[in-house]
Amino acid sequence: MNEIIIELEEISPKEFFGAQNTNIALLKKYFPKLKIVARGNKIKAFGDEELLEEFDRRITMLLKHFAKYNKLDENVIERVLTSQSSDDYTTSKESGEVIVHGVGGKLIKAQTANQRKLVELIRKNDMVFAIGPAGTGKTYTGVALAVQALKNKEVKRIILTRPAVEAGENLGFLPGDLKEKLDPYMQPLYDALRDMIAPEKLAHYIENGTIQIAPLAFMRGRTLDNAFVILDEGQNTTHAQMKMFLTRMGKNAKFLLTGDPGQIDLPRRTISGLKEALLILKNVEGVGMIFLDDKDVIRHKLVKKVIAAYKSIENRD
């Protein structure tokens, strides 16, 4: 029987193996035909030579990740073990690059291969569509890039918008003025910004219009130039709304449109403007498209399982 020994150098075995060896248990799950033993600062694996080579390659990727981020969890391990090629998990400039230093020194980075591709696409294109299920970091990564562009003086303002479809006719029954009524629907955008900009500065930016957060209807008739513009929840736009938004683009503008075609809240028989735009613009030069999936989910590990469960039902239908 063939054997390989991997020695952990300058890395805490306890943290790499996980509490009660949970990370090792996950490795065993993905390599059931290998006998894997973790003791001291060594990992030993026994089995077929070809499988051992693959195991060695994946462990090396995990070690590189841990050395860079000092962190290893179930989501990271699954992404590394299921990535199609080593290119998805290199320690290139993009993979370790800090997009923005957030509040309290928090480092905001692209955490998955597809998120890194999203960063690259936005840098190469003026209009990008980021499509994927909940929790894949589409909006969060986009807001980080917008904040970075503002800090680097590449744009003069950030405009964040989403269609207030969920509000519907119930909006009139909510207490407060129009801003107070709409703020709950913009909350995910505020949450992302609060991670990245100190409270006093954020309040100042919103007050002087450097950062604008408004429902999609407020974009009509405007020309959005010198701005990083994010349309969130794009799947809930109609044909007319999407066309209106896309034609707002002015000089020196970046447009990021995010959405999840699996969570459309539009009335029945209403075509999603996002789905339509993806078909119409797929071959237009200067328009980038990235499709994230459940491997990019960075929320609680159950979110990934929930997405998979719903996908199996929807596929049956």
Side-chain angles (χ1 to χ4, degrees):
M1 186 179 284
N2 298 299
E3 171 190 1
I4 61 166
I5 300 173
I6 297 158
E7 193 168 344
L8 306 186
E9 296 175 355
E10 299 178 8
I11 284 179
S12 162
K14 185 178 178 182
E15 290 182 31
F16 189 81
F17 295 165
Q20 298 179 325
N21 281 8
T22 50
N23 294 342
I24 299 300
L26 203 54
L27 285 171
K28 290 178 178 179
K29 175 186 166 186
Y30 278 90
F31 290 93
K33 293 183 179 177
L34 294 180
K35 183 183 178 184
I36 300 168
V37 179
R39 284 205 188 98
N41 69 335
K42 293 179 182 176
I43 301 172
K44 293 182 181 180
F46 308 85
D48 178 75
E49 187 174 353
E50 196 173 313
L51 269 177
L52 287 175
E53 285 177 7
E54 177 64 10
F55 178 77
D56 187 33
R57 189 170 74 87
R58 299 289 178 173
I59 283 286
T60 300
M61 291 163 74
L62 287 171
L63 288 170
K64 283 181 179 178
H65 180 93
F66 188 86
K68 183 169 282 287
Y69 300 103
N70 295 310
K71 181 183 176 184
L72 203 61
D73 59 29
E74 186 175 335
N75 282 330
V76 169
I77 293 170
E78 286 187 0
R79 286 199 297 269
V80 171
L81 296 180
T82 58
S83 60
Q84 295 301 308
S85 70
S86 58
D87 292 339
D88 288 348
Y89 240 87
T90 58
T91 53
S92 66
K93 180 176 178 286
E94 278 71 26
S95 70
E97 183 181 358
V98 175
I99 299 173
V100 68
H101 292 265
V103 175
K106 183 176 183 179
L107 304 180
I108 314 292
K109 303 180 181 183
Q111 296 185 47
T112 71
N114 279 332
Q115 286 178 12
R116 291 195 290 278
K117 287 174 186 173
L118 171 57
V119 171
E120 291 168 20
L121 272 178
I122 287 177
R123 287 181 179 157
K124 291 175 183 173
N125 300 276
D126 286 339
M127 184 180 291
V128 172
F129 288 81
I131 310 303
T136 50
K138 311 177 295 294
T139 304
Y140 196 83
T141 304
V143 171
L145 287 163
V147 171
Q148 182 192 57
L150 184 66
K151 285 186 174 182
N152 292 345
K153 298 188 176 358
E154 294 164 15
V155 296
K156 292 181 180 176
R157 55 187 172 154
I158 295 172
I159 298 170
L160 308 174
T161 185
R162 22 166 40 190
V165 169
E166 307 97 313
E169 293 176 357
N170 295 325
L171 197 61
F173 296 100
L174 293 171
D177 61 22
L178 185 60
K179 182 180 183 299
E180 288 169 334
K181 287 178 177 182
L182 288 167
D183 273 357
Y185 301 98
M186 306 295 150
Q187 199 60 48
L189 302 173
Y190 283 112
D191 290 344
L193 285 169
R194 286 190 187 109
D195 270 2
M196 301 171 201
I197 302 174
E200 303 82 7
K201 197 163 191 177
L202 179 57
H204 175 67
Y205 278 155
I206 291 173
E207 191 177 332
N208 69 12
T210 301
I211 293 178
Q212 300 169 27
I213 305 174
L216 184 58
F218 283 39
M219 299 298 114
R220 193 173 296 280
R222 300 179 63 185
T223 299
L224 307 177
D225 52 11
N226 296 309
F228 197 118
V229 187
I230 299 176
L231 170 61
D232 195 31
E233 299 288 344
Q235 75 276 3
N236 288 328
T237 59
T238 62
H239 162 87
Q241 286 175 322
M242 180 59 78
K243 184 181 176 185
M244 177 274 290
F245 175 75
L246 293 176
T247 53
R248 298 306 93 204
M249 187 177 237
K251 294 177 181 177
N252 189 40
K254 288 274 187 187
F255 270 37
L256 172 64
L257 300 93
T258 74
D260 175 8
Q263 290 190 345
I264 295 174
D265 298 317
L266 292 167
R268 283 188 165 218
R269 295 193 206 56
T270 302
I271 297 170
S272 165
L274 179 70
K275 281 188 169 182
E276 186 180 54
L278 290 171
L279 290 170
I280 294 171
L281 303 175
K282 64 181 179 181
N283 296 320
V284 175
E285 190 176 346
V287 176
M289 295 182 183
I290 177 77
F291 295 86
L292 299 97
D293 56 32
D294 51 8
K295 291 195 189 82
D296 299 296
V297 171
I298 51 174
R299 291 182 183 169
H300 192 286
K301 62 184 180 183
L302 275 176
V303 174
K304 194 177 293 185
K305 295 177 182 177
V306 167
I307 291 168
Y310 272 92
K311 194 186 288 182
S312 67
I313 292 172
E314 289 158 2
N315 287 346
R316 276 208 304 272
D317 293 343

